[in-house]
Structure formats: structure tokens, C-alpha cells
Amino acid sequence: MSEKKLSDLTTILQVDNLQVSFMHNGQETRAVDHISFKLHKGESVGIVGESGSGKSVTALSIMNLLHSPPAHINAGNIYLNSKQFGKVDILKLPEYKLRAIRGNEIGMIFQEPMSSLNPVYTCGNQVEEALQVHMKMTKEDARRKTIELFKEVNLPRPEKIFNAYPHELSGGQKQRVMIAMAMSCNPSILIADEPTTALDVTVQANILRLMERLRENHDTSIIFISHDLGVIAEVADRIIVMYEGKIVEEGNVFKIFNHPEHPYTKGLLACRPRLDIKLRRLPTVSDFMSNGENIDGIKKHTYTSIGEALLLNAELKKETIQKRLDVIQGGPILRVNNLTTSFPIKKGLLGWSKEEIVAVNDVSFEIYPGETVGLVGESGCGKTTLGRSIIRLIDPKSGNIIFDGHSVIELKGKALRQLRKKMQIIFQDPYSSLNPRQTVGEAISEPLKIHNIVQGKNARKERVSELLEKVGLSPSHYNRFPHEFSGGQRQRICIARALATNPQFIICDESVSALDVSVQAQVLNLLNDLKKEFKFTYLFISHDLSVIKFMADRIFVMNNGKLVEIGYPDALFERPKEEYTRNLINAIPKGDVEDIRKAQLRRRLAYARKTLFPNT
């Protein structure tokens, strides 16, 4: 749709001069600073920005879900053209009207599904309840509709998931339950707050198409919040860029991608890992906004264009070939032979049945010293189980693991603990992998104490301070707790803890999947810098092929517990042998002009079809 056509559409939501602040220890933090925008019927608006930019606070304000204290809406109005109540200011509605609007007229997909789903009810019960309350369905009809929705969002075994509790599902599966719930009542407005962040690229593509169908079939207006401009390009007609609570740039998707004006927008576009160019380092937002000051001990270059940032970082093919030759000079540091790991399936209340799920199925491979191997595949393919089996956090059913000449399978007790000095893991969720009752200093010094690496409290504190500086944090953070840090900072803390034992081999299990693309770029650069300095070997697990291509010397593709393809990044992306690999590559949001043009054309055709043939 063109800008002119959009201006002729009915305005369904209007945000005027919204200002939201939070009070903490007597200090006011301005989260949203006098922003205004409109949402038209059937339109999709993308709101993009880093954590802390004000995107989620804006979404919660639209739902009137902010509670005072600590939040306080200082100024502004949010007008909704309600089907039930006419034009209303959401911020002034009584609670009974808000309950009628939430879910029925405005649906929301929250960013963190585990905290949004009730742990004491099954997933099916929670979607079923929304249908019974808002759509007045019988319990039988609501159950049938819920299972249909679960099928529509590609949940495996929907009947079983209906009876499953949230803790029994993976992060991606919980997010799909949330999406099914938000879409269940066919709302007029759907607010999607980072709905695909933790999902595989193929599932992400399916969810984006599903939301597109909802918009086509029901004239649903969408506010799509994300830190990833590549995803935003797939769904949005217009893009709003937020930075430090303000709207710094706004325009149609072509304008933002082809002619970004604000340095912050340029930084967000540049720091996404590229499929078409091999880079030494990923540009970051600070490279565009720093004016050359020293950040994290590195002298930053202030780029004026995305092209400049990419060209100055392009890696020569000769260097890549030499690196591969250097890696394979010695023998492998890790050899996995015919590894199989399975899980029994619980049946009823009286124990375990003989059925089992084979998560890793007869897998064999080698990894060489100094190499970064990328392990990629969809949720449930077995990649996390494989990583945890290698380090013996899960005991394999059969096979062998040889690390540095020793059989990992045969190690027990003290010998296994000694091995874990050399093999470390960085988990996906840094918050849940840090003890909330321990300070950062205590968390990092704990392995030093357990493995008797550094003697004495003062010596350990000094070592922890060095590690904090090594990952771009300050020694003054020693006595702070995990909740006082951002997601990117918490991941740096986890990296520092992994470094504490001077390991040879580190497994990175989806270690950047939940981070903003700008923070992700910083962490990926940090991991590469540390590898160069300490000669680490990485097994880098991710569902994001663009991240894998940037990081990996070789790529392993996993599907249904098996390695289906192994290759070098350039060859695998240019000439994938397996259909599964091709599907993974094709599902990556590229955000290039041709993809944007196709997405825009699809939306225009759907809009024209709906306008000309409203009854079809």
C-alpha cells in the first residue's frame, strides 16, 4: 500500500503525546518520551529498537497494563475505535470495559511466554478459557478450536500439547501457544512483542505467514515489535524506529531500508549478520553513534554509511583458506563416534513405558583445535541434547566421546569434574543460568574455588576483576546481582564464568538468540576476540543460519537427531545438498530490496482482493 492509500484508511488506533516514566529509589527514568503515531485498519506497523528503547512499554500502555507504581503515565492519550464502545481513550476506561477489549479487540503476544502462561494450568486450558470468555463457545467447541489453532501454529502433537503444562514445552513451543491464544478471538489489533525471537527460521517464516493471513482474512491491524529489521521488513508497511524512548525515524519500509537518515537506524541495519558478505567483525550501533570515542577498550570508527561499515570489514578469501589449513594440521580435539541419546516417555501415574524419544541418533563427527563448528537445526532436532551429551550433563545411551585423548563416557566423579575445567558451556538464557542470590563476583569466582584454580579470597577477587574487564564489564560490577544487568551484560557475565577455568573447548548453546541484534553483534565480536586471544575451540549451537555463517569455520546441519549435512559456510550456502538445508536458508529474512518488494506486492494484492471482492 502506498502512503496516499494508507492516509485514506480508517484510523483504528491513535497514540498522542504519550509519556511514561518509572520511579526507582526516588529517581525518574523516562521510558517513553512524548511519542505519537497512528495505526490504520488492516495496516502493519513495525516498531524497532534495542532493549530499553521503549517499544514494549508502548505496547503495554496500549493494553493499559502498566501499574502505578512504579510506572506512571505522565501525559498522553491512546484512542481506540472500538467495535463495542465507539471511540474511547484506553487510558481512561474502567476495568470492566478494558476486560472486554483485551483479547477480544486487542490481542497481544508477549515477549516472554514462560512468565505469561499460568504454570498450574495446561496450555490447552488457557487458550480454551479465552475462547469461552470472549467467543462464548461451549467447552467442546473451544477444545476443538484450540487444537485447530495449535495445528495452525505448527505445534507437534497438538492433542498432547493441549494437556501439557508450560514447563513441559520448549521455549519455541511456549511462544507458539501464546500466538495461538492471542489470535484465537480474531482481534481487530494484534500487538506482537518480539513474537519470533526464540523461534527457528522456518517456524518464524510460518508464524509471519500466519499473521499475514490473519490480516488478510480479518482486516487485522498489526503492531509488530522487534529488534530485528530483517523480520520487520517481512511484515511491515511502515516502520517506527525508537531510541531512548523517542521516535527518531519513521517511514515506509522502502525508505527506512534504502535511505535511512538517523545514525541509530543505520547501525541497526548494519549490525545484522550478512549472508552475502564474509566479515571480520560485525559493525555495531556504537560504531555509528560513538563519534570515535573509546568503548569497551576498543577505539571505534564512526561510520557514515552501511556500505562503508561492511566494505572496511570484508574478509579476504585467501585468509579464510589459510585458516582452514591451519586448523586441520593437528589431530581432532573432539571425536564423537555413533553417539545416541534418548529420553523415555512418561505414561500415566505408574511409572515409565518402554517408549522413548531418540533425540540424538547415531551421530559421528570430529572437531579440530581452534575451530568454530556451527551446529544448526530447528527446535527439537537434537542440537542442545547433543551439546549437553558431549559435556555429560546428559548421559548418552550409547556411543563414545573422545576429548583430548580421553573417553568422556568412562569418566566419573572427580575425573569428570576435572574434565569440565577444560570443557565449558554457555547456556541460552543467562538469567536462569545465574543464581539470583549470588553477586556477579561470587558467580564467577565459584568455579575458581571449586576447581582450586586460584588460592585466597583476595586473589580470586583480583582474577574475577580481570575476567570482567576481559568481557567488557567493569570490576565495580563485582558486588551487583544479576537482575541489575541487561540481557547482553548477563550473557557477558556467563562468558566470564566460562573463561574462569581456562577451558580449551566451549559449547555456546543459543547464547545470543535472545539478544538484540546490536547487542548480539557485540557478543559475537567478543567471542571471536576471546577465541583469537585464548585459542579456544567452539561448538556454536544456533537456529540462526546468518549468525552461524558469521561465526563458523564449518557447519553441521542437524535434523531429527541426525547430522544431515556438513560443509564449509560458503559452499553450504551456495550449493546446499539437502532439501532441509535449502529450506532453512530460504526461510532467513534477508531484508533486501527484492524481498521487501515481494512482501509489499503480496499485501497490496491481498488488500485489493479484499476491497474489490469483500464476500469471497
Side-chain angles (χ1 to χ4, degrees):
M1 286 180 255
S2 67
E3 290 285 340
K4 185 174 186 300
K5 287 179 180 176
L6 280 173
S7 65
D8 296 335
L9 294 177
T10 303
T11 300
I12 192 169
L13 184 78
Q14 182 173 332
V15 177
D16 278 344
N17 198 37
L18 182 67
Q19 185 188 74
V20 183
S21 61
F22 288 83
M23 295 298 295
H24 181 66
N25 293 333
Q27 291 188 325
E28 182 185 41
T29 301
R30 190 73 54 81
V32 174
D33 195 0
H34 295 290
I35 69 167
S36 300
F37 65 90
K38 293 180 180 180
L39 177 69
H40 302 97
K41 187 176 181 181
E43 183 190 17
S44 180
V45 169
I47 301 180
V48 70
E50 297 172 284
S51 289
S53 63
K55 334 183 277 299
S56 293
V57 174
T58 301
L60 292 170
S61 300
I62 292 170
M63 295 288 284
N64 202 351
L65 288 173
L66 292 174
H67 299 291
S68 179
H72 182 65
I73 297 176
N74 302 317
N77 306 93
I78 301 175
Y79 297 107
L80 171 71
N81 280 327
S82 167
K83 292 181 289 187
Q84 303 174 72
F85 309 115
K87 186 172 182 179
V88 294
D89 185 347
I90 291 174
L91 300 180
K92 296 177 181 177
L93 287 180
E95 190 60 35
Y96 79 93
K97 287 189 176 181
L98 284 172
R99 283 198 300 270
I101 285 172
R102 291 174 186 148
N104 193 24
E105 296 198 44
I106 307 177
M108 185 163 180
I109 305 166
F110 292 94
Q111 182 172 359
E112 180 43 67
M114 192 61 207
S115 60
S116 306
L117 292 169
N118 192 324
V120 301
Y121 291 100
T122 68
C123 296
N125 289 153
Q126 297 182 61
V127 180
E128 192 179 58
E129 182 186 28
L131 290 165
Q132 288 179 277
V133 170
H134 292 294
M135 307 297 283
K136 309 302 179 188
M137 288 185 177
T138 65
K139 191 170 181 65
E140 293 76 16
D141 289 341
R143 179 186 174 88
R144 193 179 307 112
K145 178 65 175 175
T146 299
I147 290 173
E148 287 176 10
L149 286 163
F150 284 177
K151 289 178 181 176
E152 205 169 1
V153 296
N154 293 327
L155 278 166
R157 305 183 300 280
E159 290 82 4
K160 287 190 176 181
I161 285 182
F162 184 97
N163 295 312
Y165 290 90
H167 73 272
E168 297 179 284
L169 306 184
S170 70
Q173 288 172 335
K174 285 193 284 279
Q175 190 64 288
R176 280 177 268 179
V177 171
M178 279 297 304
I179 291 168
M181 188 186 302
M183 297 168 74
S184 61
C185 300
N186 298 325
S188 303
I189 298 172
L190 181 64
I191 301 173
D193 187 4
E194 301 276 10
T196 62
T197 296
L199 302 183
D200 312 323
V201 286
T202 50
V203 177
Q204 174 180 270
N206 290 335
I207 294 300
L208 296 180
R209 283 196 294 269
L210 186 62
M211 293 174 68
E212 191 63 35
R213 285 203 304 275
L214 182 73
R215 187 169 78 152
E216 290 176 15
N217 296 336
H218 303 283
D219 279 340
T220 304
S221 304
I222 296 174
I223 297 176
F224 196 100
I225 296 170
S226 180
H227 60 262
D228 190 338
L229 273 163
V231 174
I232 288 283
E234 297 281 312
V235 296
D237 301 307
R238 282 189 297 127
I239 295 176
I240 294 169
V241 182
M242 290 191 71
Y243 176 63
E244 293 186 345
K246 295 182 173 67
I247 293 175
V248 296
E249 191 161 358
E250 182 177 358
N252 67 53
V253 67
F254 279 111
K255 174 186 176 294
I256 296 298
F257 272 79
N258 293 329
H259 304 289
E261 296 176 359
H262 198 277
Y264 182 70
T265 311
K266 293 176 183 177
L268 287 178
L269 284 165
C271 64
R272 293 167 52 239
R274 301 281 295 239
L275 296 177
D276 54 345
I277 304 173
K278 180 69 175 176
L279 302 176
R280 288 188 181 92
R281 296 180 64 81
L282 287 172
T284 65
V285 168
S286 60
D287 292 333
F288 287 80
M289 302 188 70
S290 66
N291 295 320
E293 74 260 25
N294 196 300
I295 299 176
D296 290 348
I298 301 169
K299 184 71 174 177
K300 296 289 184 180
H301 178 79
T302 305
Y303 297 118
T304 57
S305 71
I306 298 167
E308 180 190 3
L310 296 176
L311 288 174
L312 289 179
N313 279 312
E315 184 177 12
L316 298 176
K317 203 153 192 173
K318 182 180 176 183
E319 293 178 15
T320 306
I321 295 168
Q322 184 59 51
K323 186 179 178 184
R324 290 173 186 167
L325 292 172
D326 292 342
V327 161
I328 62 174
Q329 288 301 314
I333 190 172
L334 178 74
R335 182 182 286 114
V336 174
N337 297 322
N338 307 111
L339 191 71
T340 296
T341 304
S342 61
F343 299 98
I345 301 172
K346 195 172 183 180
K347 187 177 182 181
L349 300 174
L350 301 175
W352 300 91
S353 71
K354 293 181 180 178
E355 294 181 68
E356 62 180 15
I357 293 176
V358 180
V360 177
N361 191 356
D362 196 30
V363 167
S364 299
F365 61 85
E366 295 176 344
I367 296 179
Y368 292 86
E371 189 178 26
T372 297
V373 167
L375 179 61
V376 70
E378 296 173 291
S379 252
C381 72
K383 55 187 189 297
T384 292
T385 302
L386 176 58
R388 296 187 181 201
S389 298
I390 290 170
I391 205 169
R392 285 282 305 281
L393 292 177
I394 298 171
D395 282 326
K397 181 181 180 181
S398 61
N400 203 4
I401 303 163
I402 307 297
F403 175 76
D404 200 23
H406 303 283
S407 174
V408 176
I409 299 293
E410 295 173 2
L411 297 178
K412 293 179 182 179
K414 186 178 179 180
L416 183 58
R417 285 195 297 274
Q418 287 297 314
L419 173 80
R420 288 184 180 150
K421 286 174 62 177
K422 300 179 181 178
M423 301 175 76
Q424 286 288 309
I425 186 167
I426 302 167
F427 294 99
Q428 178 174 0
D429 182 0
Y431 193 72
S432 63
S433 59
L434 291 169
N435 188 332
R437 295 174 180 171
Q438 278 188 325
T439 66
V440 165
E442 289 169 342
I444 298 172
S445 63
E446 190 174 43
L448 297 174
K449 189 176 181 180
I450 289 171
H451 293 291
N452 201 26
I453 295 171
V454 178
Q455 304 291 329
K457 188 175 180 180
N458 291 335
R460 282 196 293 270
K461 186 172 183 178
E462 187 177 335
R463 174 61 178 153
V464 170
S465 297
E466 291 173 4
L467 289 168
L468 286 169
E469 289 183 323
K470 190 66 69 178
V471 298
L473 296 174
S474 168
S476 64
H477 294 150
Y478 186 97
N479 291 314
R480 294 190 187 180
F481 290 90
H483 72 271
E484 299 180 75
F485 295 88
S486 69
Q489 287 173 322
R490 283 196 289 265
Q491 198 60 282
R492 288 170 184 257
I493 293 163
C494 291
I495 293 169
R497 186 175 61 180
L499 296 179
T501 61
N502 299 315
Q504 296 172 264
F505 181 76
I506 298 178
I507 298 170
C508 302
D509 185 9
E510 298 278 12
S511 53
V512 297
S513 64
L515 303 180
D516 301 333
V517 286
S518 54
V519 178
Q520 175 182 277
Q522 295 168 16
V523 173
L524 293 176
N525 287 338
L526 172 65
L527 288 170
N528 277 337
D529 291 343
L530 293 171
K531 176 188 170 182
K532 187 176 180 180
E533 181 176 352
F534 296 104
K535 312 299 181 187
F536 292 139
T537 303
Y538 286 135
L539 176 62
F540 197 94
I541 300 171
S542 179
H543 63 261
D544 190 334
L545 269 168
S546 56
V547 169
I548 286 286
K549 187 177 182 186
F550 171 71
M551 289 294 293
D553 301 305
R554 282 190 300 150
I555 297 177
F556 295 174
V557 181
M558 198 167 188
N559 184 27
N560 291 330
K562 290 180 173 291
L563 293 184
V564 296
E565 187 161 358
I566 295 176
Y568 293 115
D570 42 9
L572 189 138
F573 274 78
E574 290 169 14
R575 298 176 299 279
K577 296 174 183 177
E578 297 292 324
E579 183 67 25
Y580 179 75
T581 310
R582 285 193 288 273
N583 291 337
L584 287 178
I585 294 169
N586 291 336
I588 300 170
K590 300 175 183 65
D592 57 32
V593 173
E594 191 55 38
D595 280 355
I596 294 170
R597 199 182 306 281
K598 287 176 182 176
Q600 292 282 304
L601 181 59
R602 282 198 309 272
R603 288 196 282 276
R604 287 175 186 166
L605 288 172
Y607 175 75
R609 191 164 54 244
K610 190 74 177 175
T611 304
L612 296 172
F613 309 104
N615 298 321
T616 57

